[in-house]
Amino acid sequence: MKTRLFVFASLALATLVSCQEVIKPATVSQVSVGSQIVKISADGDTKTVQLTANCEWTTSSSASWVSIEPAAGTGDAQISIIVAANASDAREATVTVNAVGASTRADILVSQNGVAVVNPNPGGDDNPPLGENTISNVNQLISFINEAPSMTAEDEWTVEADIDCGGTSIGPIPAFSGILDGKNHKIYNYKVVSSDANAGLFLTLDGTVKNLILGSSDGKAWDGVSSVSFVEGATTAHAGGVVADLAGTLDNVKNFATVSVAENNTIENGVGGLVGYIAAPASILNCENGAFIEYTLGATMGQGSWVGGICGHANNAQALIYNCVNSADLEFTLVTAKFVMYGGILGCSHLGAVVDKCTNNGSVSYRQSGSESAGNYMMIAGIAGGVYSNSVVTNCINNGEVFSNRMQVSRSGGIVGTLNTQGLIEGNVNNGKVIISQDYPNGNWQAAAGIVGFQEKGNNGNIIRKNTNNGEVVIICENATTHANKVAAGGILGQGVLGLEIEENVNTAAVSVANKGTGGAWVGGIIGRFYGAGSYTKGNTNSGTVKCEVADASAAVAGGVVGYSSATTNVCTGDKNTGDVVCANTGSVGSIAGTNDGKLENCIAGGTVNGTAVNSGNLATLTQGTSSSGTANGTTAAN
């Protein structure tokens, strides 16, 4: 089983090659080469490479200036690669380790520097010599990779030409503190395979990488080769197409290289098209992801996972993701023992991290293949799966569909899946459909909305303001849950728990729940349900159709602004509805509220309620459902 996402790529140190034993054809033997790239100076040298094998093998060289000792052997060994001096241009050869009696092999690239030549015209040389902090070919790229960990913040390198790596395995770079300016050139046709717990072209970056395109020969699409992955059997942590762990800056970097991670983690991990994890002050600016993010089936993941088109997990008050774009579809079938948080831009944010002016154009989906229900809960959204502890999502646009058929607790949003404590969600626009469509009966509660699927725990300070939803919101399920949260859908917010401010939002799209089970469901043009005390709405407008269907009609609740406001201290002020509201439970349906136990103040009621147009003569019966215990003062008719 594979799970896909589109993400950015990086380069590799170790590759596993299998060979077939002659005596026992059904036994697959493993040959592991410690390094697939050997760099030699022009003076010549001898390099030792560790070979791990459980079969017989022979060695050969593609060039007369390279010899190998020993020429053959069995099992583990150290092989010596002996390279003669070079009096001419830089050159390359291939050392091959062949499995005896089988067609499989492992290749080692031998890259030797040429004799340094003084460049009479530094500005015009397309192939400058090494040592000038410029990168124009594969040899110079390898030189940079080898030297990067020892560089300081004062070291500045530039990429002076597009570089085709020819399928070579490179990196990963353990650390880099300097500045790398790609000058909008492309590096492509490479593979990064990490034997570390993290994977990326850079494992850690506290310097700056800017103006660079990775994994694409034309800057528009994946080259079909470039990738970032782990060695087989690795226990995985953070992974990014460019950086696993960012403590510096990415600016105007585009990644198309795939990011591939096995379902095998023992710690919570962040996986992103560009960056896996941020735990220090860091910035991702003006970047783009066009890469798949792919999970390959391994052991079921023992811990939770954060996955984002740009970044997996931003966990610092000074983490900033600004003006970034995800253009890749993110598709998953990942099975975890705990939570999963997926977002077109970001998996999850903590501690005040900021996402501003970002755009997601790809679909974000989880497509379960059967009725399995492992896992606790899912947060999935067009921009950020989870937003926690003072974090901010502002001025973002989602154009992609958000879809899940996962048979567990789901929190789905066009912008944010879950909003936790003292967060700000402001000025965002969702244009994509938000869909929960479950194929089997289940007892897990569900929440979906055009802006924020679910808000939890915060007693105060959570603000959802000046957002616009244009994407249809749909929940289709067979749910008989007795859980307090049940099933909730809203144009702006599915369900809110405590201390919410929902102001000046606009919903233009249809919102509906169709529950073939008997569990309760709440649907609202702005919010499905207020649960708990101290929340209010103000100046919101709904023009979309609101519809709630439940097998037990008495469990259905629908309102043009709020489906169910369950506390006496909840207040809706100056909200307006002109959309049609449909609900079989005539006692819990209204133009403003289906069931209101709080206060409705100076609202404007319009549209139709179960086919009856709202007007000044029937406001008393159609503003809120007749089962309401709250008040409705100062309501006027829109029609």
Side-chain angles (χ1 to χ4, degrees):
M1 182 190 301
K2 280 191 174 182
T3 309
R4 285 190 170 182
L5 214 254
F6 289 70
V7 181
F8 191 64
S10 82
L11 314 161
L13 270 176
T15 305
L16 293 178
V17 180
S18 64
C19 60
Q20 191 80 19
E21 287 187 325
V22 175
I23 297 174
K24 297 179 180 179
T27 301
V28 177
S29 300
Q30 297 293 324
V31 175
S32 178
V33 181
S35 176
Q36 283 197 305
I37 300 175
V38 172
K39 181 178 177 295
I40 305 292
S41 70
D43 295 333
D45 200 355
T46 298
K47 297 287 187 180
T48 300
V49 174
Q50 181 64 45
L51 174 66
T52 303
N54 57 0
C55 58
E56 294 182 44
W57 47 265
T58 62
T59 63
S60 61
S61 171
S62 66
S64 60
W65 47 273
V66 178
S67 58
I68 310 103
E69 293 181 358
T74 301
D76 298 351
Q78 286 188 336
I79 61 174
S80 295
I81 299 175
I82 305 159
V83 180
N86 183 16
S88 185
D89 295 333
R91 56 188 180 179
E92 293 181 352
T94 301
V95 169
T96 301
V97 181
N98 291 288
V100 174
S103 60
T104 55
R105 66 189 223 182
D107 292 333
I108 303 168
L109 175 67
V110 179
S111 175
Q112 187 176 27
N113 295 342
V115 177
V117 177
V118 176
N119 180 10
N121 181 21
D125 192 342
D126 290 332
N127 188 21
L130 297 176
E132 295 185 352
N133 288 12
T134 57
I135 305 169
S136 297
N137 55 40
V138 173
N139 286 335
Q140 293 171 340
L141 177 60
I142 293 170
S143 177
F144 168 77
I145 290 170
N146 290 337
E147 296 176 25
S150 63
M151 295 178 190
T152 68
E154 287 70 39
D155 289 302
E156 298 186 20
W157 285 67
T158 60
V159 180
E160 299 293 340
D162 292 352
I163 300 174
D164 184 346
C165 297
T168 300
S169 293
I170 59 175
I173 301 166
F176 179 58
S177 300
I179 298 173
L180 175 63
D181 186 349
K183 293 190 171 181
N184 295 312
H185 287 298
K186 309 169 192 70
I187 299 175
Y188 58 99
N189 282 346
Y190 61 83
K191 296 179 181 179
V192 175
V193 181
S194 178
S195 57
D196 191 87
N198 293 334
L201 178 57
F202 299 86
L203 297 185
T204 61
L205 174 69
D206 58 4
T208 297
V209 176
K210 60 184 179 180
N211 307 321
L212 183 62
I213 300 169
L214 295 169
S216 175
S217 61
D218 61 5
K220 298 178 181 179
W222 181 43
D223 56 34
V225 175
S226 296
S227 63
V228 173
S229 64
F230 293 88
V231 298
E232 185 177 346
T235 298
T236 61
H238 307 306
V242 184
V243 183
D245 191 342
L246 179 65
T249 299
L250 295 183
D251 188 356
N252 189 33
V253 176
K254 296 181 181 180
N255 178 53
F256 293 89
T258 61
V259 178
S260 183
V261 181
E263 293 182 15
N264 187 24
N265 73 341
T266 57
I267 64 170
E268 297 170 347
N269 65 354
V271 179
L274 276 82
V275 174
Y277 183 62
I278 297 173
S283 298
I284 308 174
L285 313 172
N286 312 306
C287 292
E288 181 177 351
N289 175 59
F292 296 114
I293 295 175
E294 180 178 69
Y295 276 91
T296 57
L297 183 61
T300 298
M301 298 185 78
Q303 295 293 324
S305 187
W306 304 285
V307 188
I310 300 298
C311 177
H313 187 196
N315 190 29
N316 188 273
Q318 297 181 58
L320 172 63
I321 303 173
Y322 175 80
N323 197 35
C324 293
V325 176
N326 174 60
S327 56
D329 292 335
L330 308 181
E331 300 179 359
F332 305 93
T333 56
L334 173 67
V335 177
T336 70
K338 297 191 176 181
F339 67 83
V340 287
M341 301 185 194
Y342 300 143
I345 299 298
L346 177 66
C348 180
S349 61
H350 277 91
L351 304 178
V354 174
V355 180
D356 186 38
K357 294 185 179 178
C358 292
T359 301
N360 174 57
N361 294 320
S363 65
V364 184
S365 63
Y366 186 103
R367 298 184 185 273
Q368 180 173 299
S369 60
S371 60
E372 69 267 15
S373 58
N376 291 346
Y377 53 92
M378 169 185 289
M379 305 174 189
I380 183 170
I383 300 298
V387 174
Y388 283 72
S389 55
N390 301 289
S391 295
V392 173
V393 177
T394 50
N395 307 309
C396 294
I397 300 173
N398 175 55
N399 296 315
E401 180 178 279
V402 178
F403 175 91
S404 174
N405 65 355
R406 184 74 170 127
M407 301 296 291
Q408 65 179 48
V409 172
S410 297
R411 306 171 181 183
S412 303
I415 301 297
V416 172
T418 291
L419 171 63
N420 191 267
T421 304
Q422 295 181 327
L424 173 63
I425 312 299
E426 183 174 33
N428 304 285
V429 177
N430 175 56
N431 298 315
K433 286 186 177 181
V434 180
I435 303 170
I436 298 174
S437 182
Q438 298 172 334
D439 299 325
Y440 302 91
N442 75 94
N444 296 308
W445 60 271
Q446 315 295 323
I451 302 299
V452 177
F454 184 77
Q455 176 269 332
E456 63 180 359
K457 293 186 179 179
N459 284 327
N460 55 59
N462 281 305
I463 299 173
I464 303 173
R465 183 169 56 203
K466 296 183 178 179
N467 303 282
T468 299
N469 177 54
N470 301 313
E472 184 179 3
V473 179
V474 178
I475 298 179
I476 301 172
C477 60
E478 186 174 346
N479 193 306
T481 182
T482 58
H483 191 284
N485 292 336
K486 306 187 189 314
V487 179
I492 302 301
L493 173 66
Q495 173 153 302
V497 176
L498 292 168
L500 270 165
E501 301 175 21
I502 302 178
E503 303 180 51
E504 300 180 55
N505 300 282
V506 174
N507 177 59
T508 67
V511 183
S512 66
V513 170
N515 183 9
K516 292 176 281 186
T518 57
W522 306 286
V523 188
I526 299 300
I527 178 171
R529 185 194 188 206
F530 274 138
Y531 177 73
S535 297
Y536 73 85
T537 66
K538 183 178 181 180
N540 301 284
T541 300
N542 173 62
S543 59
T545 299
V546 177
K547 186 175 184 180
C548 185
E549 297 177 292
V550 180
D552 177 4
S554 66
V557 180
V561 173
V562 57
Y564 181 27
S565 180
S566 64
T568 59
T569 56
N570 293 337
V571 181
C572 298
T573 303
D575 296 313
K576 179 179 180 179
N577 173 58
T578 58
D580 297 332
V581 184
V582 179
C583 180
N585 181 4
T586 57
S588 294
V589 60
S591 176
I592 300 300
T595 298
N596 170 43
D597 294 336
K599 297 178 181 180
L600 308 180
E601 303 286 347
N602 302 317
C603 294
I604 301 173
T608 64
V609 176
N610 285 339
T612 300
V614 178
N615 56 54
S616 57
N618 56 25
L619 283 175
T621 57
L622 297 185
T623 293
Q624 61 182 7
T626 57
S627 63
S628 300
S629 61
T631 60
N633 298 314
T635 305
T636 58
N639 298 332

